[in-house]
Amino acid sequence: MRIETKSTTPYEDQKPGTSGLRKKVRIFQQPNYAENFIQSVFDAVEGKAGALLVLGGDGRYHNRAVIQQAIRMAAANGFGKVMVGRGGILSTPAASNLIRYYGALGGLILSASHNPGGPDEDFGIKYNVANGGPAPEKVTDAIYARTRTITRWLTVDTPDVDLDRLGTGAVGGMTVEIVDPVADYAALMERLFDFDAIRAMAVGGFTMAFDAMSAVTGPYAHEIFEKRLGFAPGTVRNGTPLEDFGGHHPDPNLVHARALYDLMMGPDAPDFGAASDGDGDRNLIIGRGRFVTPSDSLAMLAANAHLAKGYAGGLKGIARSMPTSAAADRVAAALGIPCYETPTGWKFFGNLLDAGMATICGEESAGTGSDHVREKDGVWAVLLWLNILAARRISVDALARDHWARFGRNYYARHDYEGVEAAKADALMAELTAALPTLPDTRFGALAVAAADSFSYTDPVDGSISANQGLRVLFEGGSRVVFRLSGTGTQGATLRVYLERYEPAGGKLGEETPAMLADLVAAADAIAGIARHTGRMTPDVVT
Ligand code: VG1
Ligand code: CO
């Protein structure tokens, strides 16, 4: 039976940003709110009749409720089948894989990624398209336009589906299949990586700590690392997805994954440490006594990827987001392959991957991935690291030093100023934008500005232009400061300041990062007036 319901709550619309719609749970719980957004997605996409929709989330508070709503609405909107991860669980990369593998029209992924979960925290809905990747701007624009005009949503009047029992059932004439969230993903990983070599290393005494941060990767990590690869029980920490992530931010950075960092820097450190975020698309890599910045991780993985069977044929190209350090560019140059610089957000990699122009992509925000899916992928990055270490038989620290000795080192940090009043953040960006033309040839201590601009990207595949993607100040010698406002926060504005200093091979390669970046930090404040505009003397988060 189909029911048409008039929307009664004014829809507080938001243009889906870098990762879909993110709001407080309480907002999503308002009558018609989630339904209006889901209906706007369904109204905006074509080809629903009889099509497959993939559905799952990171297990956070409110996940199961929205899954039930989405199943009923998919039935009323004419989908042929919905494939749901058991318990409503699917990591973002696993959902991307299912969409591609089973030829789905698209998928709804319920997550606010690294944002905290619980009744007073965040929820989110992302729509991914048939290539498995985040909806491109053309689609999110259509969804947004629909949210402005929507007057009804469609549903069927059926009981809840048992999300915990594997198998196939029906809802209002549509098939619903509950699938093991891990099985197809783990099989894909076995095709890409040499599990025998990694298992031999684990059995031979190589130890690991993987912190799933009480988020979605727990079941994946237990199955892959402990069961299939033979790492000791207990290797996976915080491996049960919790609705509130144990009260923590499931954000794998040096602040929120502090326990892992302290372990890896302490006397009892295992050989390898890693963590992933709420929805499993991010990764943090820390060797014994050696933190690897995500930008360096991308470069090091790209330089060694051919050692894994899935990449034995070499890479077609590398892509990185603009604020990510240029370490990967040097690897691309050495390999004789192109390196693309895209705006922040995984959706910009989709065309390059689909066109076979890039194989490996990465972002400074702890996201790395390849053409195996169309999302960044935390467990994949850990497995590629393990495969490389098994093949080269060296430590993370030795690999990093070897890399820098060859390519030079890009010292790097990101300073986040969170919950800034939106008007103040906008004023800072507007003032800096206006000042950009005056910056070249000015000096800040020893730093001379070589160029300054507002980053604009022209997609080499479809020619679409994305302007205003961050303000760049480039110094002579390859150092750089980038300013941008976050698109994923749910409270006020978050100002991100990205700091990078390049030391060539033969230069100062073994220094502490804060000391190496001190003059850039001072220059950033002088250039943008961070303290003057925001009243903040220090960042809230340094990663
Ligand atoms: C942040 C990161 C960006 C990432 C995005 C989604 O965006 O900087 O690199 O792609 O989160 O990641 P922003 O606009 O807040 O800087 V996730 O793990 O939330 O899907
Ligand atoms: Co994420």
Side-chain angles (χ1 to χ4, degrees):
M1 177 178 43
R2 274 163 200 255
I3 302 173
E4 291 210 8
T5 309
K6 286 277 182 210
S7 168
T8 51
T9 305
Y11 185 75
E12 194 204 336
D13 52 274
Q14 171 193 299
K15 193 163 181 170
T18 34
S19 294
L21 180 70
R22 281 186 200 180
K23 293 280 182 187
K24 292 287 170 205
V25 166
R26 302 261 182 237
I27 291 176
F28 270 103
Q29 285 173 326
Q30 297 171 95
N32 304 314
Y33 189 88
E35 293 91 335
N36 279 355
F37 183 72
I38 293 168
Q39 186 64 49
S40 297
V41 172
F42 290 166
D43 284 345
V45 301
E46 283 167 18
K48 292 180 291 291
L52 171 64
L53 180 76
V54 168
L55 180 59
D58 63 11
R60 70 178 59 222
Y61 184 83
H62 205 46
N63 191 47
R64 284 173 179 260
V66 177
I67 294 226
Q68 299 288 358
Q69 290 169 339
I71 291 172
R72 282 190 274 265
M73 291 181 65
N77 277 276
F79 279 92
K81 177 174 174 178
V82 171
M83 185 179 276
V84 192
R86 183 181 46 218
I89 292 287
L90 280 179
S91 77
T92 289
S96 181
N97 179 49
L98 290 182
I99 293 168
R100 296 168 64 76
Y101 194 76
Y102 292 103
L105 177 70
L108 286 171
I109 305 173
L110 312 182
S111 172
S113 191
H114 53 285
N115 296 18
D120 297 316
E121 299 296 353
D122 293 351
F123 192 77
I125 306 180
K126 321 187 256 192
Y127 181 69
N128 281 31
V129 293
N131 76 347
E137 240 150 57
K138 179 166 84 242
V139 176
T140 54
D141 284 350
I143 295 169
Y144 176 65
R146 186 64 188 149
T147 64
R148 311 289 303 236
T149 57
I150 186 167
T151 56
R152 57 90 184 96
W153 48 273
L154 308 180
T155 192
V156 292
D157 195 9
T158 51
D160 279 359
V161 169
D162 181 353
L163 298 176
D164 298 303
R165 190 154 20 103
L166 294 178
T168 300
V171 168
M174 179 188 77
T175 305
V176 177
E177 185 181 2
I178 309 295
V179 300
D180 178 337
V182 178
D184 285 310
Y185 178 82
L188 173 63
M189 294 301 114
E190 293 221 32
R191 292 197 292 278
L192 295 174
F193 301 115
D194 189 347
F195 272 43
D196 289 338
I198 301 172
R199 192 181 306 109
M201 182 169 77
V203 172
F206 181 96
T207 53
M208 169 164 78
F210 180 88
D211 190 345
M213 304 192 83
S214 306
V216 80
T217 50
Y220 297 84
H222 277 300
E223 171 67 25
I224 293 172
F225 299 134
E226 295 182 359
K227 221 166 132 199
R228 301 200 187 189
L229 291 172
F231 282 96
T235 293
V236 177
R237 296 157 185 242
N238 303 313
T240 304
L242 301 177
E243 288 200 329
D244 66 349
F245 308 118
H248 300 291
H249 287 231
D251 191 349
N253 61 28
L254 296 183
V255 176
H256 299 298
R258 189 74 204 181
L260 179 74
Y261 180 81
D262 290 342
L263 172 73
M264 296 309 298
M265 295 300 148
D268 302 320
D271 293 294
F272 190 81
S276 61
D277 72 332
D279 61 331
D281 56 1
R282 298 188 181 199
N283 71 92
L284 176 74
I285 303 295
I286 314 178
R288 177 186 290 134
R290 171 60 63 195
F291 165 64
V292 182
T293 69
S295 294
D296 267 354
S297 179
L298 172 66
M300 292 167 189
L301 291 177
N304 294 283
H306 60 279
L307 298 171
K309 66 181 175 189
Y311 307 92
L315 308 179
K316 292 172 185 141
I318 304 173
R320 64 163 173 85
S321 69
M322 180 274 281
T324 303
S325 94
D329 303 36
R330 298 176 198 283
V331 174
L335 293 173
I337 57 175
C339 187
Y340 302 93
E341 186 176 33
T342 62
T344 294
W346 208 261
K347 64 184 176 191
F348 293 101
F349 295 134
N351 278 349
L352 297 171
L353 294 166
D354 285 349
M357 295 164 75
T359 306
I360 281 192
C361 309
E363 295 194 276
E364 52 64 43
S365 53
T368 338
S370 85
D371 57 3
H372 68 293
V373 289
R374 291 295 179 274
E375 289 278 5
K376 54 192 188 267
D377 188 344
V379 169
W380 170 90
V382 173
L383 287 168
L384 182 50
W385 263 101
L386 293 174
N387 198 147
I388 290 165
L389 296 178
R392 289 188 56 178
R393 297 172 181 278
I394 56 172
S395 68
V396 172
D397 183 52
L399 187 145
R401 289 173 187 279
D402 178 65
H403 187 95
W404 296 329
R406 184 166 165 215
F407 296 102
R409 179 171 179 185
N410 294 70
Y411 289 92
Y412 192 87
R414 188 179 90 191
H415 288 189
D416 290 339
Y417 299 81
E418 296 178 338
V420 177
E421 223 179 279
K424 291 182 177 171
D426 290 342
L428 181 152
M429 293 298 279
E431 195 182 294
L432 180 54
T433 303
L436 288 175
T438 68
L439 287 175
D441 300 326
T442 55
R443 298 190 77 87
F444 296 87
L447 294 162
V449 178
D453 68 1
S454 172
F455 181 59
S456 174
Y457 178 67
T458 304
D459 187 301
V461 178
D462 64 20
S464 60
I465 295 172
S466 303
N468 303 320
Q469 298 294 322
L471 306 179
R472 305 191 281 192
V473 180
L474 310 163
F475 300 98
E476 278 161 20
S479 295
R480 188 176 75 142
V481 183
V482 172
F483 303 85
R484 68 167 283 278
L485 297 184
S486 158
T488 61
T490 54
Q491 237 159 14
T494 295
L495 171 68
R496 303 202 197 282
V497 181
Y498 309 82
L499 307 144
E500 174 179 359
R501 167 168 173 178
Y502 180 62
E503 274 291 315
K508 293 189 239 170
L509 301 178
E511 307 297 316
E512 294 298 322
T513 297
M516 294 299 279
L517 297 180
D519 55 351
L520 278 166
V521 172
D525 190 52
I527 289 169
I530 300 169
R532 175 167 53 86
H533 281 288
T534 67
R536 309 283 179 85
M537 300 312 289
T538 50
D540 300 284
V541 178
V542 175
T543 53

